[in-house]
Amino acid sequence: MKNNYIVKAALTTLLIFGSCTKLDETVYDKVDVGQFLTRRDDVIRDFLRPFEHAYWSIQGNDVYAAGENSTDEIATYNRQGDWQDGNYYQRMHYHTWTTQDGFTSGAWTAFYQGIVLATNSLQDMESITDPAKLNITATELADFKAELRTLRAWFYLRAFDFYRNIEIITDVKHTTTGNKQSTPAETFAYIESELKAALPDLPKRADLGNNGIGRWTQAGAAALLVRLYLNAQVYVNQDKFADCATVAQDIIDGKYGAYVLDTRWDAPFDYTNSTVNSETIYGFPCTLSRTHWQYDGGMYFWSMTYDAAPLYCKFTDFGQANPRFALQPGRDVDSVEYPFALGKPFVKFQRYPDDYRLKLYKNLGNSTREGMFLFGYLPYEHTVNGVTVTDTVRGNKGSYPLFIRDQVGWFLDAKPGTTISDKESDMNHADHNSGIFMLKYPLYPTPDPNRITSAYAEVRLSEIYYSLAECKYRAGDKASAAVLLNAVRKRNYPEGSASLYKTDGSQLTDQEMLDEWGREFLGENRRRTDLIRWGVFNTGTWWDKQPDADNHTAIFPIGKDIMGANPQLVQNPGYE
């Protein structure tokens, strides 16, 4: 679809909605679409409504928290009483969640509100018999339908990954009752068929131009097929790696539109990532004054200590941050690296010490930055009685400067390198020095015009390269896997760096493949799925986490509120 008016109007509508805090929408089953779809703008607004909820759903109702805290890379520590929260996050970490934990109902609600909204809008589009009367072309209408089907498939794929045994809803206009759950095989086949059916009518990115961010394209739908096939062994006990490789190669070859990898490590997350020159295949537009859900407390804005945002980064629009999410430690309180193979995300970065991302995050001016992590002392300058003085960010449990480290414990005011007598390091014993923070999306200072304008990159071309690399690796072609990984990795290191993999792929092992997935996609809420696919989510050991008794926690329970609302649902195995 090449009409710029539609693209701009659709994007504007998406941003104007602004929030998704009203989550009790009622979809009525007897409304004549002809009564409210009377002009072009009505159709566009109807089409776009589910997209705003989709953006919110990446972090809403603790979807992000559950996905990340159950893995070996991120944790929400009890910091001297802060974030103790009735051991809610501890249960995420230890895989001891119950049906009464809020996220078990919350995630289902987030996914199915999206499914219902998308289905409602799709049925509205399907009821339009004469699009010309609404100043809509037949091609445009076909596009709207295809995008809504793709969006709904994206919701279903996430629900499928989260719960596995889910219900398929295709009609919200003529029924008010829920359905029985479909089998995983039925759900897999349904998602696959929906994406394949939508593909021909979807636009390519070039058709949309720079205003296409937030719109599903052919490459976006194909990328969802890549995700589906990559995890088919887990989902339905079928090896679909060959199918995954075929679709991934087609995306890379441009069959579904032209995309190229970004050449800077930070570009996929910077304010330019919504343009046709970026590697973003599908993303959600973000602005300071409207929607910016990845900068919400459910994700990255609460991934730093309290005063890091206003004092160190000089970003004052949102006030203080909050240390809800931090990296899990790679070292004990005596700075000795832990022996387990999993986890230790910062240590895994340090294995390649010339990685640009390892630098301390620092704003450089003119909408640029360096580094991806917050660690050590965080100095800042301020004025006292007309004199500029340098201070250091502090916590809220004492007046001492924080020294943020790749360790968890009660360091309090101990200087770096000082041995402390308290050797305890676990989820319930952390202070505000504990755990390195990640700033993947930039936090440019107020009043930088490009602050909080990076699109949320839900699907990146890098994911397609890594997925194809994994398929090659599993097929025994380590050399091709190394080439594919290096095509992305080279932007993380200086020219000619020894950190690039040898071209024969001899350095690649199962653990290294999993480590590299973790480095490139740290904090992007796919680690749980990757750990499950590699068979270590339930059997693995990482910081303060022993193997599970069995593998039933590979899927989450359906929350008690959801079970109570639909008596046809059967609880997932292993849960009461």
Side-chain angles (χ1 to χ4, degrees), residues 12-275:
T12 300
T13 303
L14 174 61
L15 294 173
I16 284 174
F17 276 108
S19 70
C20 196
T21 54
K22 180 175 174 56
L23 301 178
D24 56 349
E25 296 125 348
T26 300
V27 179
Y28 296 96
D29 65 329
K30 292 183 180 180
V31 177
D32 182 3
V33 70
Q35 295 177 3
F36 65 93
L37 291 185
T38 60
R39 56 179 182 155
R40 181 184 184 84
D41 284 352
D42 295 336
V43 178
I44 293 172
R45 289 189 181 94
D46 193 354
F47 163 61
L48 261 295
R49 179 61 187 91
F51 287 80
E52 190 276 333
H53 173 80
Y55 189 8
W56 171 86
S57 76
I58 64 172
Q59 55 81 47
N61 289 1
D62 285 341
V63 170
Y64 180 82
E68 286 289 0
N69 277 289
S70 60
T71 76
D72 63 340
E73 67 180 18
I74 284 175
T76 300
Y77 310 120
N78 175 2
R79 298 177 182 269
Q80 298 169 268
D82 293 347
W83 291 108
Q84 195 279 331
D85 287 38
N87 289 324
Y88 180 59
Y89 297 100
Q90 287 79 356
R91 289 192 293 277
M92 289 182 188
H93 182 80
Y94 298 131
H95 298 183
T96 55
W97 43 72
T98 73
T99 60
Q100 298 187 54
D101 281 313
F103 77 87
T104 61
S105 291
W108 184 285
T109 300
F111 299 146
Y112 273 92
Q113 281 175 337
I115 288 166
V116 168
L117 285 167
T119 301
N120 185 65
S121 293
L122 177 60
Q123 288 186 276
D124 287 346
M125 301 297 134
E126 290 172 340
S127 72
I128 298 174
T129 56
D130 189 355
K133 286 185 177 180
L134 299 170
N135 198 22
I136 299 291
T137 69
T139 300
E140 290 167 346
L141 183 59
D143 175 3
F144 291 161
K145 294 177 185 177
E147 289 196 53
L148 288 166
R149 292 179 80 173
T150 305
L151 178 66
R152 186 173 62 179
W154 175 73
F155 276 116
Y156 272 121
L157 181 55
R158 296 164 69 211
F160 188 43
D161 184 79
F162 214 85
Y163 297 104
R164 198 77 78 249
N165 301 295
I166 62 174
E167 57 178 314
I168 296 175
I169 297 172
T170 58
D171 176 23
V172 298
K173 298 288 190 182
H174 309 100
T175 181
T176 57
T177 60
N179 301 319
K180 294 181 179 180
Q181 290 141 296
S182 297
T183 66
E186 290 169 339
T187 301
F188 186 98
Y190 171 75
I191 295 171
E192 180 184 34
S193 65
E194 283 290 285
L195 292 170
K196 286 184 174 180
L199 258 168
D201 289 326
L202 289 169
K204 292 184 178 180
R205 182 168 69 169
D207 300 329
L208 302 175
N210 284 337
N211 293 317
I213 192 69
R215 302 284 301 280
W216 284 104
T217 62
Q218 290 185 12
L224 296 185
L225 284 172
V226 168
R227 288 183 178 179
L228 185 68
Y229 293 146
L230 185 65
N231 294 287
Q233 192 78 64
V234 170
Y235 292 161
V236 291
N237 197 30
Q238 293 183 36
D239 183 335
K240 297 278 188 178
F241 292 114
D243 294 311
C244 179
T246 297
V247 179
Q249 189 66 65
D250 284 343
I251 295 173
I252 292 171
D253 290 343
K255 178 178 179 179
Y256 303 110
Y259 294 84
V260 293
L261 292 167
D262 285 313
T263 57
R264 297 190 340 263
W265 75 265
D266 61 317
F269 319 105
D270 212 347
Y271 69 96
T272 57
N273 70 345
S274 61
T275 69

